Amino acid sequence: MHALQDSVLLYPVYALLFADAGLTTAEISSLFAIWSVVSFVCEIPAGALADTWSRKRVYAVGEIVSAAGWAVWLIWPTYPGFATGFVLWGLGGAFASGSLEALVYDQVGDGTAYTRIMGRARMASMLAMLAATILATPALLAGGYVLVGVISIATVTAGGLLALRLPSSGTDDRTARNAEEAGGYFPVLRAGLRAATGSRRVLRALAVAAAVPGFSALDEYLPLLARDMGAPTSAVPLLFALTALAMAAGSGLADRLSPESPRPLAGALALAAALLAAGSLVPHPAGIVPVSVAFGLLQFAMVHAEARLQDAITGPARTTALSVAGFGAEVAAVLLYAAFGLPVALPLLCALMAVPLSLTAFLALQR
């Protein structure tokens, strides 16, 4: 999901909202499945809509639709209400995915400047997510889920409205003109798919840009990994905060090396694989330190992989092509979740993720 949507007070506690409403674990899992299916189905069509209509308007609509989904949760706290909210959140996330990134790249025009801007933006997002995690508890104690939800809805709605004030330098006019020249929505959709699959260079950049965010889904298992390492439950949030700080640092340092060379990207992925394997197998909470550094390197790699894909894409259907990468990232995350359903000890499963991560590093190194 989009970073702003992950940085609100509701994000760390919404699963508790479902449980306190009487939902079983199986029902909660089915809600996540609904969320994923909607994201899968809408990701690429939403990208084509941004390339046809307006990237910043589609992004703004995505934020507001997501906020509307959370409002449904508060108004209708039952399984059908939660399911409806997830449909809206999945749709909103699909609208936001790729739209802002394409708009930023259109403004700066090259991967180096894009890396600087998005790296700092992602760092700010990680710090905001950390702050939201810390503030969620006092907000929950002060006003329950209603207060947490209202603050989250207001935050994301304001972000969507502010996005409408982003400078476009004629980008939206060019988008509409290009769509009209291409013949409308479906020709733009086909052009975006061709842009994403039309050359070996783009396909390789797309594969890496999809795989790296997929590996970041490992953070869902970090609390369980920390406890398997021997950390008391009360210490798990502090260890997770360490990981969040490492991720913020990785994003913030992404512009220190140029994305034009594949070596920083491949090196970060290879080192992340080694640290993930080594840290996961340490039978002590100290093992979270190298694992956290690995996640910081993954964030560094994510910004570089995205910048390299942006540089490789040509043509007006940029958001559509980026949405193909977003779709691939969702698929990679689902495959990772399936792998973690195997009857293997969690630390060993985390360590085994170093193998596909190393293969991704090798793929990134190919020119």
Side-chain angles (χ1 to χ4, degrees):
M1 287 298 123
H2 194 265
L4 178 57
Q5 297 169 8
D6 293 353
S7 305
V8 295
L9 299 185
L10 188 60
Y11 191 74
V13 299
Y14 68 84
L16 302 179
L17 168 63
F18 305 152
D20 288 348
L23 269 62
T24 65
T25 301
E27 287 174 326
I28 293 173
S29 296
S30 70
L31 292 175
F32 293 153
I34 292 170
W35 189 20
S36 296
V37 169
V38 173
S39 298
F40 284 153
V41 171
C42 298
E43 181 84 28
I44 296 174
L49 178 63
D51 285 330
T52 308
W53 178 39
S54 163
R55 287 165 184 167
K56 69 178 181 180
R57 288 172 188 162
V58 167
Y59 174 82
V61 168
E63 298 296 278
I64 292 169
V65 169
S66 295
W70 302 339
V72 172
W73 289 354
L74 299 182
I75 297 168
W76 191 15
T78 63
Y79 183 87
F82 294 141
T84 303
F86 264 122
V87 169
L88 292 172
W89 192 3
L91 181 61
F95 280 154
S97 175
S99 301
L100 183 63
E101 291 82 357
L103 181 63
V104 171
Y105 190 87
D106 282 339
Q107 297 301 309
V108 299
D110 69 88
T112 300
Y114 179 87
T115 300
R116 182 178 65 254
I117 293 170
M118 292 306 294
R120 294 174 182 175
R122 298 275 167 78
M123 177 180 69
S125 175
M126 292 296 166
L127 293 175
M129 185 168 64
L130 178 61
T133 301
I134 294 171
L135 293 173
T137 297
L140 196 61
L141 292 173
Y145 293 117
V146 172
L147 178 62
V148 169
V150 168
I151 293 174
S152 301
I153 292 164
T155 301
V156 171
T157 301
L161 295 175
L162 286 173
L164 295 174
R165 302 187 63 84
L166 288 171
S168 60
S169 301
T171 299
D172 285 345
D173 293 337
R174 289 196 303 272
T175 296
R177 191 164 55 249
N178 290 333
E180 185 177 353
E181 292 172 356
Y185 176 85
F186 289 103
V188 168
L189 175 60
R190 289 194 294 269
L193 294 175
R194 284 197 300 270
T197 59
S199 75
R200 195 181 306 177
R201 179 193 177 207
V202 176
L203 275 173
R204 187 181 295 115
L206 190 148
V208 175
V212 177
F215 287 115
S216 70
L218 281 166
D219 64 3
E220 303 285 353
Y221 299 95
L222 284 181
L224 298 175
L225 179 63
R227 200 153 58 180
D228 277 7
M229 289 176 169
T233 301
S234 59
V236 168
L238 295 176
L239 295 174
F240 192 81
L242 175 64
T243 305
L245 288 173
M247 293 165 73
S251 296
L253 295 172
D255 67 328
R256 298 301 178 94
L257 297 173
S258 172
E260 294 180 2
S261 169
R263 291 180 179 177
L265 171 58
L269 291 173
L271 184 55
L275 289 171
L276 179 64
S280 297
L281 296 176
V282 173
H284 188 276
I288 286 294
V289 175
V291 171
S292 296
V293 176
F295 272 87
L297 290 166
L298 277 176
Q299 285 295 315
F300 176 97
M302 199 180 304
V303 177
H304 272 245
E306 203 173 86
R308 291 182 63 78
L309 176 59
Q310 292 268 27
D311 280 342
I313 294 171
T314 57
R318 179 173 299 278
T319 314
T320 308
L322 291 175
S323 294
V324 175
F327 178 85
E330 294 278 1
V331 172
V334 169
L335 291 175
L336 184 144
Y337 294 147
F340 273 73
L342 296 173
V344 180
L346 181 62
L348 180 57
L349 278 172
C350 290
L352 288 174
M353 288 299 107
V355 176
L357 194 50
S358 298
L359 293 175
T360 307
F362 178 76
L363 181 63
L365 193 58
Q366 306 305 302
R367 291 187 177 275

